[in-house]
Amino acid sequence: MQVSRADMAHNKQTFFERPEGSVFERETLGWKTELWTNHALVHLPTQSFTIYEYNIDVKKGKTLWTKRDDAGPTFRNICKKTKFLLPDSYYVFNDVNMLWSTKQLPRGSGVVGNEERYHFIYKFTRSFQFGESVEHVDSQLFSTLIDAIATSRVRFPQTKTFMILIQMMNCSKCKNKYKVFNRNMFMIQDRQHDDVFEKAPIFVSLQNGIDIRTGISIGIKLNLRAGITACYDLSQTMFTRPCYPIIRLLVEIIQGETISDEEFADKWDKQLIKSTVTEKNQKIMERILNKMLLRYTTENALKEDESGKWEEENMKENNRYRKNKNDFTFFELVGTAERQTFIDDTTKKERTVAEYYLTEKNIRLRYPNLPCIRKRSPKKFIAYPMEFVTMVVEPQRFDGYTTREMKAMMINRTSFTARQRRILLQHIISQKPITDIPAAVDNNDAFMRNFGVVIEKSMLKVNATVLPPPTVVYGGNDKFTDEHSEGAWKALDREPMRKVLEGSVYVRTKDRNTPKLKKRLLGSILKIAAPGRNEAPDIDDTNYHNLMKAIEKAGQPVVWENEEIGQAAIQNSWEFSQLKNEIDEIDKYFQSLLTHIDEKYKKEEDEVIIPICFVIFESRFTTLKEKDSSIRNDYNEVIQIVKGNHSDVVKYLADNKSGIYTQGMLFDTFNQIGFLPASDFTSLIVEKILGKVGTTHRKLDSEGEHKSWKKVTNPKSPTLILGVDVCHPNSRDRKDSEAGVRKLSVASIVGNIDIECNEYRSSSKLQSVGEEKIVMFKHEVKARIDDFTIHNAIRPAHIVVYRDGFSEGDFKRILYEEKLDIENAGRLIDPAYQPTITYIVVTKRHHTRFFLTNESEGIEEQRYNVLPGTLVEDTVTTKNYYDFYLTTQVGQVGLARPTHYYVLWNTWKCRDAFWPTLTHALTYTFCRTTTTVSVPAPVLYAHLAAKRAKETLDGAVELYRKDHERDYNMESYADVAELTRQINNHPNLDGMIFV
């Protein structure tokens, strides 16, 4: 028997209700302030009326178009040609599959357009009342409707009122002042904006014919405590530059930076006449131009004037934004015009491109020595001289190849400060134009008037509390309290240095009767040469000794060769080159580091020698990829053993197979290691190493004034904090038919093993691609409970889950299933064991932002962002859940983004301030840095553990293929179990390996 959706068990799930009162109302807790937020109130018509809803299927022949970038423009073009749905302001379209109209269509269904080519099918689905007094059942659909009403004028600019507005603003050259991509409306201005936004980077020109343009997004939020709001935000992306000559692209690739018109005319014109394009630059050009829409013209491209000077002005003014039959899609670069031949259709003879232009068009090419640009054409070979090709007139979104320099330039030149973003958003929300760009939203446009929607023109204000910080404790009871809520402090890069906690230098044991053994680190070096090189560059051992001295100075003992002169022992040093060595030799090297250690290095009975290998990579994977696009980060192709996003095989061999600690660094990075406390960089490396080997550098004060932390770390009623995240395969692996098990997702669960919630251990498991719910979650929770119990001789009385990674639409289902798994995990241990359960969802995928109303409350070095520890509980939080926003990120470049927390379930009886203050405290405990972080440390640890498990999965798979000439069989229980074991750390490694 089928069960209705409403009757499914998870849909009957209720959520934890918001506690009475708020932190803001508690005058003695933290200090209070008022902030702006990027929300504006939305008002619906006071008198409700009927809206008719239709399903729309936009098709090309039999192919259904589901992407808004295809479906939206096609639908509107069909309507324009067939004069269907006129006047157009009485309907709105969501750009995919839904149409809403204030007038009922003559028929309930029909087909519009040419069924063999472009057409759409419409079908009436329902009608409903629309107004402020009407309760909306489907929140998502209702939100989409209001969004479509507010943005239809921009998404369908050919409306009469919008074109009149453009003409009034002297923008008659352009078809539209916005380019819509997904939910963003990107401004296409004809001139730089006036300097009224604190020099905000609204429009930035990069090299290679790429411009950065700013987009505006509007998200309609329902069921907020303030009512319905429109959440405005900004984004930036790359567009092609109108009329940009491809020859200029070539020059800027050679030069490595943007050139001016004068530079081209005075310097490069003459050089290009005699130049040839190198193979490297030709490959870069092809990667940049790949599938790009270009324009060919002999009339308006590049010309010499009477004095012999070069000019490229005409095309920018003539035929602007007009469709052109000479627009084409780039296919490839071919031979030079003086050498590239083709068969002339008229004469049936072979001739060069240069000969053709001279005889048929009476044009002597200026640059016959440069490659021609071939058009993508299935029927015949068509190639144009480079000097006659430009980027098209209308800017196109660019998602092609970008150099490292361009990426760095984009980051450096396009970040909005908090002040810039606030001023620009206030201007946009007030519905004012930006130079020649009409307002993105206008209450007076025909769509807004016909549907009766009004959006207020000012930002909402919210009450906020800056929470009191916890006290951080280092070895020797050295304490630090963040009294000014800066979210940053010094530890190793100060004098005197703050050292590790005294007890953390001993091996952690599950048997309390075992004698204490002090850890002593023994270093070794593995150098990885770049592909194609016989050997890696030499390194200076002084940097190694500096690093080991820094570790010892931090309080973690190391093995010395000669401590008096600061010379640490180097167990072994070896280099790997793909030209000379097999991958198995790395495995043998790691194994050798584990043998005969005590015989040579152990000095005392109460110590244990811990090997750690520093893996020095000559090149970063992304750097190599830039030089050669054919390089993939896979061992079975060219370059698996390269530092980058994935040094998968090395990680697998060390962390999972051999059981040896490693720390990877680039060659250039290794050479920056200096003395402490002078070197900030060295301190970051040391913090990371301490975390990996399980040496706790700091804790939070359990005896101080932070009541929430005192409650959590109560040894008589201890707490297990779980961080949970899922790492999914990248888009390349998802599309790759040969990716095999690399298409699987990996879920990781981390949990503390100590009462003081500092040391975390992880376990990982495989699951179906894209699945967010943790399969067999109860076994992972039981493993974490057991680990905690063994280390502390007491079961956790409270289990707190910080869950990352899923959307509001999945709240009921995943909460129901995972809460049940946690309860069942307890029953597996003991039917009478019933710890309290708290389940908090953590999300940063939102667009809500906060700004200081009084900048004197901010810190100049943090660009006047809201302070770390800023809590917002009202106005823009929901009516449906107990949720809050907490900003803990230290904003140094752009705008600090708050994290949105949903306390979906809670059986631990606590006061209203408990969960915000505990969450804030946990952002001080991330071991890799001495700053607060954007989410609680367990969430970051879970993310890092899942990412690392996914990388070691790829490494294990590649080696298995190499050894067995087949993939793991995911239909085989034995193979699944074996691969799951392979992605979890070696049992001999006790530490936070994932950091």
Side-chain angles (χ1 to χ4, degrees):
M1 183 179 73
Q2 288 187 335
V3 179
S4 69
R5 178 173 295 183
D7 290 333
M8 290 181 178
H10 70 263
N11 282 325
K12 297 180 180 180
Q13 170 75 60
T14 58
F15 299 112
F16 178 64
E17 294 183 359
R18 188 180 297 274
E20 293 281 338
S22 69
V23 175
F24 185 81
E25 293 170 353
R26 297 180 61 180
E27 296 180 0
T28 58
L29 183 61
W31 58 277
K32 314 304 175 184
T33 187
E34 189 177 48
L35 306 173
W36 274 306
T37 183
N38 57 333
H39 288 248
L41 282 174
V42 176
H43 300 285
L44 302 185
T46 54
Q47 295 293 322
S48 61
F49 57 88
T50 301
I51 286 184
Y52 302 92
E53 182 180 279
Y54 297 83
N55 184 76
I56 304 291
D57 287 339
V58 181
K59 293 186 172 185
K60 180 182 180 182
K62 295 182 179 180
T63 302
L64 177 66
W65 280 0
T66 56
K67 292 183 178 180
R68 64 173 66 234
D69 297 330
D70 297 326
T74 302
F75 172 83
R76 293 189 171 96
N77 284 335
I78 295 171
C79 288
K80 184 178 179 181
K81 289 180 180 179
T82 60
K83 297 184 179 181
F84 187 72
L85 299 175
L86 295 176
D88 49 46
S89 58
Y90 286 99
Y91 77 88
V92 293
F93 182 51
N94 74 341
D95 281 354
V96 183
N97 58 3
M98 298 299 297
L99 176 79
W100 296 276
S101 178
T102 57
K103 294 185 177 181
Q104 192 167 12
L105 300 182
R107 293 191 297 166
S109 61
V111 179
V112 181
N114 185 340
E115 290 191 57
E116 295 182 359
R117 298 196 65 197
Y118 299 101
H119 65 283
F120 64 81
I121 303 169
Y122 68 92
K123 183 177 181 181
F124 176 77
T125 54
R126 62 172 177 167
S127 61
F128 56 88
Q129 291 297 298
F130 182 70
E132 64 178 13
S133 60
V134 179
E135 183 178 352
H136 37 273
V137 179
D138 190 332
S139 297
Q140 183 62 45
L141 205 61
F142 200 77
S143 173
T144 305
L145 167 59
I146 300 173
D147 182 284
I149 294 169
T151 60
S152 280
R153 178 176 58 94
V154 169
R155 294 178 182 276
F156 193 11
Q158 285 84 358
T159 55
K160 184 177 180 181
T161 54
F162 193 63
M163 297 312 292
I164 291 173
L165 179 60
I166 287 177
Q167 291 172 7
M168 290 172 61
M169 299 180 65
N170 297 319
C171 303
S172 56
K173 294 177 187 176
C174 65
K175 181 173 68 175
N176 187 13
K177 303 306 297 181
Y178 289 93
K179 291 283 286 188
V180 179
F181 177 71
N182 286 340
R183 301 182 65 85
N184 296 290
M185 302 169 287
F186 289 94
M187 295 182 282
I188 309 297
Q189 59 267 66
D190 285 326
R191 62 181 187 272
Q192 288 282 9
H193 64 86
D194 298 327
D195 189 16
V196 293
F197 304 116
E198 296 279 331
K199 299 182 179 179
I202 297 175
F203 174 85
V204 177
S205 291
L206 302 181
Q207 64 189 64
N208 299 352
I210 303 303
D211 295 326
I212 303 299
R213 297 185 182 274
T214 299
I216 304 167
S217 66
I218 302 171
I220 302 300
K221 305 298 178 183
L222 308 176
N223 300 319
L224 297 189
R225 302 180 85 188
I228 301 175
T229 70
C231 177
Y232 292 76
D233 203 8
L234 305 173
S235 62
Q236 292 171 306
T237 195
M238 292 183 284
F239 281 82
T240 58
R241 188 171 304 149
C243 317
Y244 179 76
I246 302 306
I247 283 193
R248 288 286 287 271
L249 170 62
L250 172 62
V251 171
E252 292 189 359
I253 290 173
I254 298 170
Q255 178 88 345
E257 60 185 13
T258 305
I259 63 166
S260 65
D261 294 347
E262 291 75 16
E263 284 181 286
F264 184 86
D266 297 340
K267 174 183 176 181
W268 286 100
D269 175 36
K270 293 180 181 179
Q271 289 190 20
L272 284 177
I273 293 174
K274 302 176 182 178
S275 300
T276 57
V277 180
T278 64
E279 183 180 353
K280 175 185 174 181
N281 287 338
Q282 184 159 325
K283 283 184 177 180
I284 293 175
M285 283 193 74
E286 287 185 324
R287 293 177 69 186
I288 293 173
L289 295 174
N290 184 37
K291 298 180 181 179
M292 186 182 290
L293 191 62
L294 302 174
R295 175 168 292 187
Y296 159 74
T297 175
T298 59
E299 296 178 0
N300 296 315
L302 301 167
K303 288 188 172 182
E304 262 183 299
D305 63 18
E306 294 179 357
S307 64
K309 284 194 173 182
W310 203 247
E311 61 178 23
E312 49 180 273
E313 306 297 329
N314 294 338
M315 192 171 178
K316 294 182 180 179
E317 301 300 328
N318 298 334
N319 302 320
R320 187 134 194 173
Y321 291 96
R322 187 181 300 170
K323 287 187 177 181
N324 193 304
K325 64 180 180 180
N326 289 328
D327 290 352
F328 68 95
T329 301
F330 173 84
F331 183 61
E332 64 178 345
L333 292 178
V334 293
T336 63
E338 61 190 1
R339 294 186 178 182
Q340 179 64 54
T341 60
F342 68 100
I343 304 298
D344 192 323
D345 290 342
T346 305
T347 63
K348 306 300 181 184
K349 293 181 180 180
E350 186 177 70
R351 62 201 310 190
T352 67
V353 174
E355 289 173 345
Y356 171 80
Y357 275 85
L358 184 61
T359 58
E360 300 298 326
K361 297 183 178 292
N362 197 29
I363 297 176
R364 185 179 299 277
L365 297 182
R366 188 173 185 82
Y367 307 119
N369 52 310
L370 298 183
C372 294
I373 296 177
R374 185 180 174 188
K375 173 182 179 179
R376 182 181 292 275
S377 174
K379 295 182 179 180
K380 63 179 181 178
F381 179 90
I382 302 176
Y384 301 121
M386 188 182 293
E387 60 198 81
F388 295 148
V389 180
T390 71
M391 294 180 183
V392 292
V393 180
E394 187 169 355
Q396 305 292 310
R397 182 176 173 273
F398 178 75
D399 57 0
Y401 169 74
T402 53
T403 63
R404 276 192 306 156
E405 292 77 12
M406 287 178 65
K407 291 175 183 176
M409 190 184 302
M410 181 174 178
I411 293 171
N412 293 333
R413 295 177 57 188
T414 63
S415 295
F416 289 98
T417 65
R419 181 187 294 170
Q420 288 171 337
R421 187 179 289 262
R422 188 252 305 163
I423 292 173
L424 183 54
L425 282 172
Q426 285 178 323
H427 188 89
I428 292 168
I429 290 172
S430 65
Q431 300 181 12
K432 297 176 182 177
I434 298 175
T435 62
D436 58 334
I437 310 292
V441 174
D442 187 349
N443 289 335
N444 295 318
D445 80 49
F447 295 99
M448 297 282 275
R449 292 199 311 270
N450 287 338
F451 283 84
V453 175
V454 174
I455 300 178
E456 290 193 4
K457 298 181 180 182
S458 60
M459 282 183 168
L460 282 173
K461 286 186 176 181
V462 297
N463 293 324
T465 302
V466 181
L467 297 175
T471 297
V472 182
V473 181
Y474 286 89
N477 204 33
D478 184 358
K479 296 184 178 182
F480 164 78
T481 302
D482 188 13
E483 296 177 352
H484 302 292
S485 296
E486 296 179 18
W489 64 99
K490 291 182 179 292
L492 298 177
D493 49 348
R494 68 186 291 272
E495 196 66 63
M497 286 175 56
R498 291 182 165 127
K499 301 198 173 189
V500 302
L501 301 173
E502 286 80 358
S504 68
V505 299
Y506 294 97
V507 174
R508 191 172 280 100
T509 176
K510 299 175 182 178
D511 184 354
R512 292 179 175 270
N513 297 319
T514 303
K516 284 187 174 183
L517 296 176
K518 183 178 289 186
K519 296 180 291 188
R520 193 175 293 277
L521 301 188
L522 172 62
S524 58
I525 297 172
L526 169 61
K527 296 183 290 183
I528 307 290
R533 288 177 56 90
N534 279 308
E535 57 185 26
D538 291 331
I539 61 172
D540 186 350
D541 288 348
T542 302
N543 298 304
Y544 169 82
H545 298 309
N546 286 341
L547 179 57
M548 298 304 279
K549 279 188 284 188
I551 294 171
E552 175 88 27
K553 200 171 181 182
Q556 169 59 62
V558 303
V559 177
W560 293 98
E561 190 71 38
N562 188 330
E563 187 171 3
E564 290 184 2
I565 63 173
Q567 188 175 38
I570 301 178
Q571 183 187 5
N572 202 346
S573 182
W574 181 67
E575 68 177 41
F576 172 86
S577 166
Q578 290 182 336
L579 296 181
K580 298 189 301 185
N581 307 106
E582 295 293 329
I583 188 67
D584 296 342
E585 295 180 61
I586 292 182
D587 188 22
K588 292 176 182 177
Y589 177 70
F590 285 150
Q591 294 293 338
S592 72
L593 300 178
L594 298 170
T595 59
H596 309 295
I597 299 174
D598 291 348
E599 298 173 12
K600 185 174 181 181
Y601 297 103
K602 188 173 180 178
K603 305 297 182 185
E604 306 290 341
E605 286 300 317
D606 66 343
E607 70 178 14
V608 59
I609 306 301
I610 306 292
I612 180 169
C613 182
F614 298 100
V615 185
I616 315 299
F617 298 88
E618 181 180 358
S619 300
R620 189 186 297 274
F621 168 68
T622 49
T623 304
L624 295 165
K625 183 82 173 175
E626 203 168 277
K627 294 178 180 177
D628 186 352
S629 61
S630 65
I631 289 180
R632 283 170 52 126
N633 202 11
D634 301 316
Y635 172 73
N636 63 338
E637 293 205 20
V638 182
I639 177 62
Q640 177 65 49
I641 316 300
V642 175
K643 176 67 176 175
N645 293 333
H646 311 291
S647 48
D648 304 341
V649 170
V650 170
K651 289 176 182 176
Y652 165 71
L653 290 174
D655 297 354
N656 305 67
K657 187 177 180 183
S658 301
I660 186 167
Y661 296 101
T662 60
Q663 177 59 56
M665 281 178 276
L666 286 170
F667 173 79
D668 291 340
T669 302
F670 185 78
N671 285 337
Q672 295 178 36
I673 294 174
F675 291 105
L676 283 178
S679 171
D680 291 344
F681 172 76
T682 307
S683 68
L684 295 175
I685 294 290
V686 173
E687 295 279 13
K688 195 171 181 181
I689 291 170
L690 293 176
K692 284 189 176 187
V693 301
T695 300
T696 309
H697 196 190
R698 65 180 185 264
K699 64 179 181 179
L700 300 185
D701 190 1
S702 300
E703 305 300 325
E705 298 179 359
H706 202 286
K707 295 180 181 178
S708 298
W709 194 252
K710 186 180 294 186
K711 188 180 183 73
V712 164
T713 55
N714 180 357
K716 295 181 180 179
S717 182
T719 304
L720 172 64
I721 301 178
L722 301 179
V724 183
D725 198 7
V726 182
C727 181
H728 299 295
N730 58 40
S731 58
R732 188 196 74 190
D733 283 344
R734 289 191 187 208
K735 296 175 183 177
D736 188 352
S737 59
E738 299 181 0
V741 296
R742 288 188 310 193
K743 288 186 178 181
L744 295 174
S745 295
V746 175
S748 288
I749 299 92
V750 303
N752 56 298
I753 59 170
D754 60 334
I755 298 289
E756 293 172 321
C757 305
N758 285 313
E759 285 290 325
Y760 290 79
R761 300 296 180 264
S762 70
S763 56
S764 301
K765 64 189 307 300
L766 302 169
Q767 54 189 62
S768 300
V769 58
E771 177 57 58
E772 279 295 343
K773 191 267 175 186
I774 312 298
V775 180
M776 300 301 288
F777 187 44
K778 64 180 178 182
H779 296 299
E780 305 304 320
V781 174
K782 181 180 180 297
R784 302 273 57 82
I785 295 174
D786 289 342
D787 212 5
F788 181 95
T789 305
I790 291 170
H791 281 92
N792 301 290
I794 186 174
R795 291 175 186 156
H798 313 284
I799 297 177
V800 179
V801 179
Y802 281 96
R803 182 64 158 89
D804 191 15
F806 62 92
S807 63
E808 186 177 340
D810 289 324
F811 278 4
K812 284 188 175 181
R813 177 180 68 89
I814 295 182
L815 170 63
Y816 176 82
E817 294 175 355
E818 293 189 355
K819 176 169 67 71
L820 192 61
D821 277 337
I822 298 169
E823 293 169 346
N824 288 335
R827 295 188 186 101
L828 288 174
I829 296 169
D830 183 345
Y833 176 47
Q834 293 183 328
T836 67
I837 298 172
T838 305
Y839 192 95
I840 303 174
V841 173
V842 182
T843 178
K844 291 185 71 69
R845 299 185 187 96
H846 63 83
H847 293 277
T848 297
R849 305 289 185 266
F850 300 112
F851 306 92
L852 296 174
T853 55
N854 181 2
E855 287 192 348
S856 65
E857 296 177 355
I859 300 172
E860 184 178 1
E861 291 76 15
Q862 296 184 11
R863 303 293 184 92
Y864 299 104
N865 272 288
V866 296
L867 294 176
T870 300
L871 170 71
V872 173
E873 308 162 275
D874 71 352
T875 308
V876 292
T877 53
T878 68
K879 299 176 184 177
N880 300 341
Y881 313 101
Y882 170 33
D883 63 322
F884 56 86
Y885 289 94
L886 184 60
T887 303
T888 51
Q889 178 183 0
V890 178
Q892 294 179 337
V893 180
L895 178 69
R897 178 183 297 184
T899 301
H900 197 180
Y901 297 90
Y902 297 85
V903 185
L904 296 186
W905 189 257
N906 177 44
T907 57
W908 193 357
K909 294 182 180 179
C910 308
R911 296 190 65 179
D912 50 14
F914 182 78
W915 295 113
T917 53
L918 170 62
T919 301
H920 177 222
L922 284 168
T923 66
Y924 280 82
T925 64
F926 185 57
C927 73
R928 275 171 49 167
T929 181
T930 53
T931 65
T932 53
V933 287
S934 60
V935 295
V939 179
L940 269 183
Y941 291 149
H943 173 74
L944 292 171
K947 178 176 178 288
R948 194 171 189 88
K950 184 69 175 70
E951 291 168 354
T952 53
L953 164 69
D954 294 345
V957 168
E958 294 303 334
L959 288 183
Y960 188 86
R961 285 177 176 174
K962 176 178 178 291
D963 294 339
H964 298 83
E965 297 183 352
R966 72 174 181 90
D967 264 340
Y968 282 99
N969 179 11
M970 290 296 96
E971 301 298 321
S972 164
Y973 177 81
D975 275 14
V976 173
E978 173 62 20
L979 189 54
T980 300
R981 187 186 68 81
Q982 298 280 13
I983 66 173
N984 283 281
N985 294 330
H986 195 283
N988 290 349
L989 297 182
D990 182 40
M992 295 190 286
I993 313 301
F994 42 80
V995 302

